[in-house]
Amino acid sequence: MRSVAFLVNDISAIGGSTKVTVQLANAMTKQRRVKIISLFQSKEEIGMSISKEIEILTLFNKRIKIFEVETYIKMLKSFNFKPIISLILTLIQLLLSYPLLRKKLNQNIIDIDTVIIPEIYGLFFINYKYKKKVILQLHTNFHNIIANRINRFTLNLFHKKIEQLVVLTDNDKKEFEKYGFNAVKRIYNPLPEKNIEGMREFNNHLLYVGRLDYVKGIDYLLEIFKLIATNQEVYLDICGDGEMKKDIEQFIKQHHLEDKVNLHGMVDNLTPYFLQAVALIAPSRREGLPLVFLEAFSHQVPVVSFRSFTSIEDIIIQGETGYVVEIGDVKEAASKLEYLLLNKVENRLMGQKALNMLEEFKLETVINQWNSIL
């Protein structure tokens, strides 16, 4: 039987890329032997349903929490040095442990045919003398990758070692081919498979799903909702967790929004929240192709998003499945959300159009595309 290993940074992370990895790994067990190898874990519990047929290995057995770069910059500005000192100490430990971690990883992929790397820094841990097929799966867009000097250096360093590059949009495929990659394939992230029971209720609820941090635009989210709440009887459901939770709680108290903003934490079943949502708000500063967009569409919920990746209008068709506004334009985002709140018939039509465009995102379609390159 052919075999595949996923090399991830943190199998216990709450992000969409981890959910995609688990979903693909579970589906691949039908035809392949599958391993998931995690460089480290930030939490003891993984928190996702993983097939018993999948072997799971963690290389660095210490609880680590690593944030986005922008979050550390924000911490510096607020003189919150403790997490930064912790990061430096952790990176020193990782650096000192690197030879041992690399050896441990390569001992555990000797019997593996293909290694899929969903996070770019995993490229540093592969011993390429073993001649494994290496697939780099990118969850962010070309411009975000190239704009980051470390990412750009990593890509250039391992360019010839990457046998296959998997990207999320056709535009990214073209850009990476121009950059010099020959084997580039666009494969969408799969839509989570679930039976949706119930009808949309239009209860004047807006929904946010994701990490609570700077990159995800939590500051924008709060400003958008504050604008809408001054004119409309509206509620905001926030599903997710992260380092900006306290900022949200402070904002709610400061603006007397205790009866309008609901913090639900991490939620396993989002269906009840989607069914009462007028729209999904996506205020991120940057994205790859958010899985939550597809979840919203599967529940016939339109999306109002900032232009967080270059091909976003391939997914959100302007005025048909939602609205795209420029990053930081909170007034325009609030205006589009108010329109969806007030125009329920148009809202329902947009939701139906969103549902109709999901064929390419079905798990069976996505797995067939993966099988063509494994």
Side-chain angles (χ1 to χ4, degrees), residues 114-127:
T114 302
V115 180
I116 299 172
I117 304 177
E119 281 111 351
I120 193 168
Y121 302 124
L123 291 167
F124 285 100
F125 289 83
I126 302 294
N127 188 332

Side-chain angles (χ1 to χ4, degrees), residues 38-277:
S38 185
L39 295 179
F40 58 86
Q41 275 188 228
S42 58
K43 300 174 185 175
E44 189 172 346
E45 298 295 327
I46 293 176
M48 286 172 284
S49 179
I50 299 180
S51 169
K52 292 179 181 179
E53 296 178 46
I54 296 174
E55 182 182 345
I56 302 171
L57 172 70
T58 300
L59 298 180
F60 191 65
N61 291 312
K62 185 184 178 205
R63 297 287 169 257
I64 299 176
K65 183 65 176 176
I66 297 178
F67 303 114
E68 297 278 356
V69 172
E70 290 88 348
T71 300
Y72 287 109
I73 293 171
K74 187 172 180 286
M75 289 173 178
L76 275 173
K77 289 179 179 177
S78 61
F79 302 102
N80 182 12
F81 299 120
K82 188 175 179 181
I84 297 166
I85 294 169
S86 176
L87 172 68
I88 293 169
L89 293 174
T90 297
L91 291 178
I92 291 171
Q93 276 189 291
L94 278 171
L95 188 61
L96 293 173
S97 303
Y98 172 75
L100 185 61
L101 297 179
R102 191 168 184 260
K103 181 180 179 181
K104 187 176 179 182
L105 167 68
N106 287 285
Q107 286 173 341
N108 280 276
I109 60 170
I110 286 175
D111 58 342
I112 294 294
D113 301 306
T114 302
V115 180
I116 299 172
I117 304 177
E119 281 111 351
I120 193 168
Y121 302 124
L123 291 167
F124 285 100
F125 289 83
I126 302 294
N127 188 332
Y128 295 92
K129 75 178 184 180
Y130 291 123
K131 306 295 183 184
K132 305 298 177 184
K133 181 172 185 177
V134 174
I135 299 177
L136 178 61
Q137 179 192 16
L138 295 176
H139 287 278
T140 189
N141 65 65
F142 172 82
H143 296 290
N144 286 338
I145 289 285
I146 300 304
N148 182 305
R149 276 185 265 181
I150 299 174
N151 287 343
R152 189 168 64 247
F153 168 78
T154 305
L155 267 186
N156 292 336
L157 181 65
F158 294 104
H159 189 155
K160 294 181 180 179
K161 307 295 185 183
I162 301 167
E163 290 191 42
Q164 181 77 54
L165 190 63
V166 173
V167 297
L168 290 173
T169 70
D170 290 321
N171 183 72
D172 289 322
K173 181 178 185 297
K174 291 175 186 175
E175 293 289 352
F176 277 108
E177 286 172 342
K178 288 179 189 175
Y179 195 74
F181 283 89
N182 295 320
V184 187
K185 189 172 182 67
R186 189 271 289 148
I187 303 180
Y188 289 133
N189 285 338
L191 178 68
E193 290 192 311
K194 60 175 72 175
N195 294 319
I196 298 169
E197 297 180 0
M199 298 285 291
R200 288 183 69 197
E201 299 171 6
F202 292 99
N203 285 340
N204 280 21
H205 282 246
L206 300 173
L207 178 62
Y208 169 83
V209 178
R211 291 196 318 271
L212 309 183
D213 65 20
Y214 177 81
V215 172
K216 293 295 184 180
I218 293 302
D219 50 337
Y220 290 142
L221 172 70
L222 298 174
E223 289 299 325
I224 291 166
F225 184 73
K226 186 177 75 171
L227 287 173
I228 300 169
T230 58
N231 302 319
Q232 304 287 337
E233 185 65 28
V234 62
Y235 306 90
L236 174 62
D237 291 308
I238 298 177
C239 298
D241 201 0
E243 61 268 20
M244 286 189 71
K245 183 178 179 181
K246 288 183 179 179
D247 299 73
I248 298 171
E249 290 170 340
Q250 185 178 350
F251 186 93
I252 292 170
K253 188 175 181 180
Q254 181 182 347
H255 296 280
H256 309 292
L257 295 170
E258 289 89 348
D259 61 336
K260 289 182 174 290
V261 180
N262 302 301
L263 284 165
H264 301 286
M266 294 302 297
V267 175
D268 291 330
N269 180 18
L270 289 166
T271 291
Y273 301 98
F274 277 119
L275 291 180
Q276 67 178 359

